[in-house]
């Protein structure tokens, strides 16, 4: 061991990745999770891992790096992380969307993303469920996969403990004193050479208690819906986003899994809007029953890009939060970057754009 002691707050996929990468590097790690592992935003994902994030080359670069790490992840003996390649299709129905995509394309390619513009006819071949909408073109990235978030959480927990990390569940953190390197819980205080906040939707209050001014929104409830069973013979389709409405669909077994923004206080109105959009984009599914699949709280940053940064110590304070729904896609890279920032290693990319800064907090 290096003699360094680190407390990681948060037992979702981000915190577990951080714990694993630090422990693997020889750091003495204790992870504190208020509930059970993966019980926050990690329980409300669409189980999609991708690298293309429109107009967000930073998240895309993290996605490319994370996909490489997932493919190479040392899972439990005889158990591989599930990654079924399906591709990611973004439907453009307005000229401005095509223009924005073309302007963003050089940055995406520089980030290592495999994505390109395809014609409407090709998009309809990839997803035959698309109805008679005014489809102009589409973005298509083959590097998108259906995975299993629970399996990823379990794999990272296993790998972190195998590397020596201690994972404590049912242990909510009530306050952080970064100047003293102390973390307060209902069971007492824990001292450390560094504290890492990876608490997802609960990061804002913890960061404020630590005196860190970071513009996270209040916890947002995410809901994904599922349809009634579809007709036999429904074709497999890419993960498909209707850019104008934010309607995201993918097949899950014999049903569609559906997301579209956040329900807000009027959940029934939101569901009616989702049903209307489904019928518009996929008329063959008009009138299909919609049911809650999963719900969970998620964090969000103003620019939908994670905050990852380091305030040197001793004691040091680090944060990895604000993933805005990209956490599963960015988790391996986030763990690597927190490790590299803390141990003063070369992170392999410019991390200044991820830190809290006047540009991002203004």
């Amino acid at each position: 061991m290096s003699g360094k002691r680190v407390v990681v707050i948060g037992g979702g996929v981000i915190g577990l990745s951080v714990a694993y990468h630090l422990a693997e590097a020889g750091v003495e790690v204790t992870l504190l999770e208020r509930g059970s592992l993966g019980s926050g935003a990690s329980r409300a994902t669409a189980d999609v891992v991708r690298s293309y994030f429109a107009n967000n080359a930073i998240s895309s670069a993290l996605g490319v790096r994370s996909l490489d790490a997932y493919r190479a992840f040392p899972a439990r003996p005889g158990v591989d992380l599930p990654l079924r390649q399906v591709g990611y299709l973004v439907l453009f129905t307005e000229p401005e969307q095509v223009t924005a995509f073309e302007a963003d394309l050089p940055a995406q390619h520089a980030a290592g993303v495999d994505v390109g513009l395809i014609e409407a006819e090709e998009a309809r071949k990839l997803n035959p469920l698309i109805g008679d909408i005014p489809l102009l073109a589409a973005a298509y990235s083959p590097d998108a996969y259906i995975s299993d978030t629970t399996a990823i959480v379990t794999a990272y927990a296993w790998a972190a403990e195998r590397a020596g990390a201690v994972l404590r569940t049912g242990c909510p953190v009530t306050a952080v004193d970064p100047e003293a390197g102390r973390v307060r819980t209902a069971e007492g205080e824990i001292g450390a050479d560094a504290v890492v906040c990876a608490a997802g939707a609960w990061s804002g209050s913890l960061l404020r208690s630590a005196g860190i001014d970071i513009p996270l929104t209040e916890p947002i409830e995410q809901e994904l819906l599922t349809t009634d069973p579809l007709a036999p013979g429904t074709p497999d389709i890419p993960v498909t986003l209707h850019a104008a409405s934010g309607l995201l669909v993918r097949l899950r077994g014999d049903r569609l899994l559906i997301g579209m923004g956040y329900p807000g206080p009027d959940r029934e109105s939101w569901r009616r809007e989702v049903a209307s959009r489904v019928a518009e984009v996929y008329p063959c599914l008009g009138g299909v029953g919609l049911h809650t699949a999963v719900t969970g709280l998620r964090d969000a940053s103003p620019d939908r890009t994670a905050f990852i940064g380091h305030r040197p110590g001793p004691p040091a304070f680090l944060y990895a939060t604000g993933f805005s729904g990209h956490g599963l896609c960015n988790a391996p890279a986030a763990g690597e970057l927190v490790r590299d920032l803390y141990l003063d290693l070369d992170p392999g990319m410019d991390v200044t754009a991820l830190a809290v800064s006047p540009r991002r907090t203004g």
Side-chain angles (χ1 to χ4, degrees):
M1 288 289 184
S2 65
K4 298 178 182 292
R5 297 173 302 140
V6 174
V7 171
V8 177
I9 305 171
V13 67
I14 301 296
L16 287 166
S17 174
V18 170
Y20 162 63
H21 284 98
L22 285 171
E24 187 187 40
V27 177
E28 183 181 335
V29 177
T30 299
L31 179 144
L32 306 176
E33 162 55 39
R34 61 185 291 127
S36 57
L37 297 178
S39 59
S42 295
R43 68 181 293 270
T45 79
D47 292 327
V48 173
V49 179
R50 58 186 168 96
S51 60
Y52 170 50
F53 293 91
N55 302 307
N56 194 336
I58 297 173
S59 286
S60 293
L62 295 177
V64 170
R65 182 166 173 169
S66 293
L67 266 177
D68 289 341
Y70 277 134
R71 294 185 184 110
F73 189 78
R76 299 169 70 175
V79 179
D80 295 323
L81 290 184
L83 289 173
R84 181 172 68 87
Q85 189 170 13
V86 295
Y88 180 52
L89 185 67
V90 184
L91 308 178
F92 298 144
T93 54
E94 301 168 6
E96 296 80 6
Q97 295 166 349
V98 178
T99 300
F101 172 80
E102 291 176 331
D104 181 44
L105 192 56
Q108 295 292 334
H109 285 168
V113 179
D114 182 1
V115 65
L117 191 69
I118 62 174
E119 296 182 352
E121 182 180 0
E122 186 176 354
R124 293 182 189 278
K125 288 180 180 177
L126 288 168
N127 186 344
L129 302 181
I130 299 168
D132 189 23
I133 58 174
L135 186 60
L136 302 178
Y140 181 66
S141 173
D143 279 341
Y145 300 79
I146 302 301
S147 188
D148 181 331
T149 307
T150 300
I152 290 174
V153 166
T154 301
Y156 267 108
W158 170 83
E161 288 185 313
R162 186 167 181 257
V166 175
L167 311 181
R168 293 175 56 182
T169 57
C171 187
V173 172
T174 58
V176 178
D177 182 350
E179 302 300 330
R182 308 293 297 178
V183 176
R184 187 179 307 147
T185 77
E187 301 174 10
E189 287 192 346
I190 301 174
D193 300 300
V195 176
V196 181
C197 180
W202 293 272
S203 293
S205 59
L206 287 175
L207 287 163
R208 285 191 291 273
S209 79
I212 305 293
D213 183 18
I214 189 168
L216 294 173
T217 67
E218 291 302 309
I220 300 173
E221 185 174 30
Q222 167 75 22
E223 180 172 356
L224 299 177
L225 304 175
T226 187
T227 65
D228 288 334
L230 304 179
T234 299
D236 201 2
I237 61 172
V239 176
T240 304
L241 175 71
H242 181 242
S245 64
L247 177 70
L248 183 79
V249 303
R250 78 160 182 89
L251 277 180
R252 186 172 74 169
D254 63 350
R255 305 166 186 256
L256 274 186
L257 189 66
I258 301 171
M260 194 177 85
Y262 303 101
D266 191 346
R267 191 176 300 270
E268 290 307 312
S269 176
W270 172 77
R271 284 194 175 195
R272 287 193 296 269
E273 177 63 18
V274 173
S276 175
R277 289 295 186 178
V278 169
E280 173 194 347
V281 181
Y282 307 106
C284 62
L285 301 176
V288 69
L290 298 179
H291 315 278
T292 299
V294 291
T295 62
L297 296 178
R298 96 171 18 167
D299 54 351
S301 65
D303 57 5
R304 295 183 58 81
T305 303
F307 285 106
I308 301 176
H310 178 209
R311 189 177 70 185
F317 187 84
L318 301 98
Y319 49 87
T321 190
F323 286 84
S324 307
H326 305 169
L328 187 66
C329 302
N330 290 172
E336 293 174 0
L337 292 180
V338 170
R339 174 200 63 199
D340 295 345
L341 286 169
Y342 179 53
L343 297 178
D344 197 24
L345 304 173
D346 180 7
M349 63 180 292
D350 180 8
V351 295
T352 57
L354 292 165
V356 174
S357 66
R359 178 186 64 80
R360 296 192 64 192
T361 59

